[in-house]
Amino acid sequence: MIDSHVHLNRHEFQGQQDEVISRARAAGITKFLNVGYDLQSSAESIALAEANTDILATVGIHPHDAALLADEEGQILTETAQVLDQLRSLAAHPKVVAIGEIGLDFFRDLSPRPAQYAALKMQLEIATELDLPVVFHIRDAWSETLAFLDEIGIPPRRGILHSFSGDEASVEWAQKNGFFLGIGGPVTYKNSKLDSLVALAGAEMIVLETDAPWLPPVPFRGQRNESAYLVHTCARVATALGLDVEDVDRMTTDNFHRLFLGGPFDT
Ligand SMILES: [Zn+2]
């Protein structure tokens, strides 16, 4: 199976990166998509991808850091063009398969909302320009993000709605527009409504992810998450879909390949 969203560069893994990656491989993880969230983590993702044949990278500026690209009124800054140029040159690396994680986060609101909208729009333009899919981070901003995409245009190569936490209408929007739902640890949590949304979406729309070091699945809540734990998420998704774990593994792996690598046979 594929961990479609992980942050192996994080300090939580410092000194243990190799064993964490080995444990994941031993647990059946065949690919990792290491996701950038600022210029430094994007460069670190590329370094990891260069050192490991089974790691791919994304580059992007998270909505938390949108203030790097725009002010509180959404206007560009003197350094915006330079940051975007750096992002473009990182994105040109052959192991970079998407722009992300980018989006809107109205839960923590760490950057002003007009700056978040502006940063999202500028990076969607880069995704279009470079013909890359997008990894979206959306938190407490589902209707706003989807309405914004409807307004400014769906990125041509589509992408993943990472750590999906939308409602039925968001699932239908994703279905209509050809996006995948990134499903991780929260699907295993008691009282989670995600399993019914997973069932509504169907296996054709799902990719698995850990978001490690965050969001560990049951029975690891409260601990550091890692890619090896993805098997627990896969099992819960299989239950929600009424499918065997092997089928969910195969179908979500094919989905990932179709989105990022041009087809189920390109491994
Ligand atoms: Zn993430």
Side-chain angles (χ1 to χ4, degrees):
M1 61 195 74
I2 295 178
D3 189 351
S4 69
H5 195 116
V6 61
H7 304 285
L8 293 162
N9 55 292
R10 289 282 309 177
H11 65 80
E12 287 87 342
F13 296 121
Q14 206 174 10
Q16 294 168 38
Q17 222 178 41
D18 289 344
E19 32 184 300
V20 165
I21 294 169
S22 303
R23 270 202 295 275
R25 286 173 182 149
I29 307 300
T30 54
K31 272 194 185 71
F32 307 79
L33 181 57
N34 204 82
V35 173
Y37 41 84
D38 57 16
L39 288 175
Q40 192 190 327
S41 60
S42 295
E44 288 166 357
S45 295
I46 291 173
L48 273 161
E50 281 177 338
N52 296 275
T53 53
D54 51 1
I55 299 183
L56 298 162
T58 79
V59 303
I61 311 280
H62 197 282
H64 292 344
D65 287 315
L68 288 171
L69 290 170
D71 68 14
E72 61 280 353
E73 282 162 3
Q75 302 300 314
I76 60 163
L77 313 167
T78 40
E79 59 272 31
T80 300
Q82 198 202 334
V83 175
L84 291 177
D85 278 347
Q86 282 176 270
L87 205 58
R88 264 192 208 91
S89 65
L90 289 169
H93 190 281
K95 289 202 82 175
V96 170
V97 296
I99 299 296
E101 54 190 299
I102 63 174
L104 300 176
D105 191 315
F106 294 171
F107 177 69
R108 297 190 60 193
D109 274 324
L110 293 185
S111 279
R113 291 181 184 186
Q116 294 191 36
Y117 277 106
L120 174 56
K121 185 159 188 278
M122 289 184 252
Q123 295 182 91
L124 286 172
E125 283 162 9
I126 293 180
T128 301
E129 183 185 308
L130 300 178
D131 196 32
L132 289 171
V134 174
V135 175
F136 284 93
H137 169 103
I138 304 168
R139 195 152 179 212
D140 282 7
W142 284 88
S143 56
E144 292 89 342
T145 305
L146 304 185
F148 187 58
L149 292 177
D150 282 335
E151 180 194 321
I152 65 166
I154 307 292
R157 287 287 307 277
R158 292 4 194 217
I160 294 175
L161 308 179
H162 143 68
S163 198
F164 183 76
S165 60
D167 57 7
E168 284 84 357
S170 311
V171 173
E172 281 157 22
W173 184 95
Q175 207 148 31
K176 182 175 129 219
N177 291 296
F179 284 79
F180 292 94
L181 312 183
I183 303 295
V187 75
T188 67
Y189 300 169
K190 220 162 97 179
N191 303 325
S192 165
K193 294 194 190 81
L194 267 175
D195 50 356
S196 64
L197 295 171
V198 163
L200 174 67
E204 299 73 20
M205 278 178 67
I206 306 287
V207 291
L208 302 175
E209 63 173 46
T210 59
D211 204 17
W214 300 293
L215 298 177
V218 172
F220 302 105
R221 285 194 86 172
Q223 300 174 37
R224 181 191 70 186
N225 195 9
E226 59 177 77
S227 297
Y229 300 165
L230 192 63
V231 292
H232 296 272
T233 298
C234 187
R236 188 72 193 85
V237 168
T239 306
L241 290 168
L243 293 171
D244 293 334
V245 169
E246 295 71 27
D247 291 327
V248 172
D249 179 359
R250 179 179 46 78
M251 293 173 87
T252 55
T253 297
D254 285 353
N255 291 343
F256 183 93
H257 287 155
R258 212 160 61 240
L259 177 59
F260 292 119
L261 305 169
F265 306 108
D266 180 358
T267 54

